[in-house]
């Protein structure tokens, strides 16, 4: 396993890949979820990611499932002290806001955030979260309110480091400036959708945000900000014939990039998934991939990417395809 520091030189030490637990307890059953977590820890993995709404869109689910299962694993393996846990607030369904998600998401107001952090701590069975994200932008709430409330969680010891997910770069920068101007802890991590293929620009991403050149430039210029990329492998679409490309990535430009990706993978004796992960981790603004897997075998494939080094020529071909 390789490691780095979260949020610059003041954050906790984390594994260079983060295990996403979004489907755990819903579409990935508990025995399989626990086996994946065990294997990740055995391999030296220390960084896991969940949220207070995972996976509320699955029929019959409430959004409790991922945090509850992760909490059981942390307790049963006595792993809390050696695991950096990230969770999120802002996108959990709130029935008082309406019957349908994501239109009824709780948002980032002070009351919602206070309720959210208490709920996450209870489900995880801990008194502290290492990394706490504002999950989805909420422009209906003043930044000062969100920033101040989240900073309070750090100050009272319930949260270690703050992050933002699915935020526009300018909004992230403004929030960080707001916190700095008030002498408060600010966002030191940002998690956005990020993969090798480029998305179409004529389709709305909805509440999800892509990592774009603006964010990459911003992260490269701010070493106190760690960039994480979720859905890097597009749920298997790079390697599985039964998983077509998502519509957002299905366009003529992807044909060339997929061809070059296959060429580089063959040169390296690696899978396309492993090359994508190595490309993310080794760029000018290094990315921590948040990997989502549904089996131990899939996890092992991803972990092998940690030792894959792309040479400058291969990276240039991938970048310019």
């Amino acid at each position: 396993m390789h490691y780095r520091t979260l949020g610059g030189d003041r954050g906790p030490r984390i594994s260079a890949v983060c295990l996403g637990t979004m489907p755990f307890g819903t579409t990935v059953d508990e025995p399989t979820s626990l086996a994946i977590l065990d294997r990740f820890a055995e391999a030296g993995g220390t960084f896991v990611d969940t949220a207070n709404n995972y996976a509320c869109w699955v029929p019959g689910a409430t959004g409790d499932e991922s945090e509850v299962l992760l909490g059981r694993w942390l307790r049963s393996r006595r792993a809390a002290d050696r695991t950096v846990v990230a969770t999120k607030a802002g996108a959990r369904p709130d029935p008082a806001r309406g019957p349908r998600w994501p239109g009824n998401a709780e948002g980032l107001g002070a009351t919602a955030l206070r309720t959210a952090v208490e709920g996450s701590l209870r489900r995880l069975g801990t008194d502290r979260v290492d990394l706490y994200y504002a999950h989805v932008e909420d422009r209906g709430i003043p930044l000062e309110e969100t920033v101040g409330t989240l900073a309070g969680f750090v100050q009272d010891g319930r949260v270690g480091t703050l992050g933002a997910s699915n935020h526009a770069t300018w909004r992230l920068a403004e929030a960080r400036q707001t916190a700095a101007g008030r002498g408060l802890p600010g966002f030191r991590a940002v998690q956005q959708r990020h993969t090798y293929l480029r998305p179409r620009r004529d389709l709305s991403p909805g509440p999800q945000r892509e990592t774009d050149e603006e964010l990459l430039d911003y992260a490269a210029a701010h070493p106190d900000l760690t960039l994480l990329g979720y859905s890097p492998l597009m749920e298997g679409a790079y390697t599985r014939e039964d998983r077509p490309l998502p519509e957002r990535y299905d366009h003529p430009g992807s044909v060339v990039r997929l061809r070059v990706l296959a060429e580089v993978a063959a040169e390296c004796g690696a899978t396309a998934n492993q090359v994508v992960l190595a490309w993310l981790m080794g760029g000018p603004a290094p990315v921590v991939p948040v990997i989502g897997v549904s089996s131990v075998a899939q996890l092992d494939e991803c972990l092998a990417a940690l030792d894959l080094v792309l040479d400058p020529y291969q990276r240039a071909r991938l970048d310019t395809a």
Side-chain angles (χ1 to χ4, degrees), residues 20 23-24 42-43 48 54 82 87-88 90 103 108 159 181 195 231 269 285-286 292 302:
F24 289 7
E42 176 189 330
V48 295
Y54 288 166
R82 61 180 187 272
T87 193
K88 310 177 188 74
L108 299 177
V159 168
T195 188
S231 298
C302 292

Side-chain angles (χ1 to χ4, degrees), residues 193 195-203 210 234 237-238 241 243-258:
R193 179 181 288 275
T195 188
Y196 173 61
L197 295 185
R198 297 187 179 106
R200 291 169 55 177
R201 298 302 181 190
D202 60 333
L203 292 177
E210 307 280 353
M234 298 187 302
Y238 284 110
E241 292 184 0
R243 295 291 177 91
L245 288 178
E247 182 183 13
R248 189 156 178 74
Y249 298 96
D250 190 6
H251 58 85
S254 292
V255 175
V256 176
R257 286 176 83 83
L258 287 171

Side-chain angles (χ1 to χ4, degrees), residues 108-132:
L108 299 177
T111 299
L113 288 171
R114 293 188 186 107
T115 300
V117 74
E118 288 298 332
S120 288
L121 292 173
R122 182 178 63 255
R123 287 184 289 273
L124 290 166
T126 184
D127 58 4
R128 185 178 185 274
V129 171
D130 300 291
L131 173 59
Y132 199 56

Side-chain angles (χ1 to χ4, degrees), residues 45-63:
T46 61
F47 191 16
V48 295
D49 179 89
T50 184
N52 72 339
N53 72 319
Y54 288 166
C56 67
W57 49 90
V58 174
T62 64

Side-chain angles (χ1 to χ4, degrees), residues 70-83:
L70 180 56
R72 281 201 293 269
W73 180 81
L74 291 168
R75 292 189 298 277
S76 65
R77 273 56 169 180
R78 298 182 180 178
D81 290 343
R82 61 180 187 272
T83 307

Side-chain angles (χ1 to χ4, degrees), residues 15-45:
S15 49
V17 294
C18 178
L19 178 61
T21 67
M22 183 178 71
F24 289 7
T26 50
T27 57
V28 178
D29 63 36
E30 182 162 341
T32 303
S33 300
L34 296 176
I36 292 168
L37 285 160
D38 287 342
R39 173 62 185 133
F40 186 63
E42 176 189 330

Side-chain angles (χ1 to χ4, degrees), residues 222-234:
H222 295 84
D224 66 333
L225 182 70
T226 297
L227 176 58
L228 298 97
Y230 69 82
S231 298
L233 304 179
M234 298 187 302

Side-chain angles (χ1 to χ4, degrees), residues 58-281:
V58 174
T62 64
D64 290 0
E65 289 79 7
S66 177
E67 286 185 327
V68 167
L69 188 146
L70 180 56
R72 281 201 293 269
W73 180 81
L74 291 168
R75 292 189 298 277
S76 65
R77 273 56 169 180
R78 298 182 180 178
D81 290 343
R82 61 180 187 272
T83 307
V84 177
V85 176
T87 193
K88 310 177 188 74
R92 185 177 175 87
D94 178 359
R97 291 184 163 218
R100 294 188 179 182
W101 184 86
N104 65 354
E106 64 196 337
L108 299 177
T111 299
L113 288 171
R114 293 188 186 107
T115 300
V117 74
E118 288 298 332
S120 288
L121 292 173
R122 182 178 63 255
R123 287 184 289 273
L124 290 166
T126 184
D127 58 4
R128 185 178 185 274
V129 171
D130 300 291
L131 173 59
Y132 199 56
Y133 288 103
H135 196 171
V136 179
E137 266 191 54
D138 183 358
R139 297 189 185 179
I141 298 294
L143 269 178
E144 292 79 3
E145 179 177 339
T146 299
V147 166
T149 304
L150 291 171
F153 300 159
V154 177
Q155 293 167 333
D156 67 22
R158 287 182 291 177
V159 168
T161 302
L162 296 172
S165 182
N166 297 311
H167 280 56
T169 302
W170 71 265
R171 187 81 169 173
L172 169 70
E174 189 170 320
R176 280 164 51 89
Q177 290 170 355
T178 298
R182 296 173 59 184
L184 297 174
F187 295 140
R188 300 176 68 84
V190 56
Q191 183 183 141
Q192 312 281 81
R193 179 181 288 275
H194 196 18
T195 188
Y196 173 61
L197 295 185
R198 297 187 179 106
R200 291 169 55 177
R201 298 302 181 190
D202 60 333
L203 292 177
S204 170
Q208 296 180 332
R209 288 278 180 175
E210 307 280 353
T211 298
D212 55 17
E213 292 301 321
E214 183 179 25
L215 180 58
L216 289 169
D217 288 346
Y218 184 82
H222 295 84
D224 66 333
L225 182 70
T226 297
L227 176 58
L228 298 97
Y230 69 82
S231 298
L233 304 179
M234 298 187 302
E235 299 182 345
Y238 284 110
T239 56
R240 290 176 53 174
E241 292 184 0
D242 63 326
R243 295 291 177 91
L245 288 178
E247 182 183 13
R248 189 156 178 74
Y249 298 96
D250 190 6
H251 58 85
S254 292
V255 175
V256 176
R257 286 176 83 83
L258 287 171
R259 184 177 69 242
V260 174
L261 178 63
E263 292 171 355
V264 172
E267 293 166 8
C268 296
T271 67
N273 286 338
Q274 290 165 346
V275 173
V276 169
L277 295 174
W279 178 80
L280 288 169
M281 290 185 285

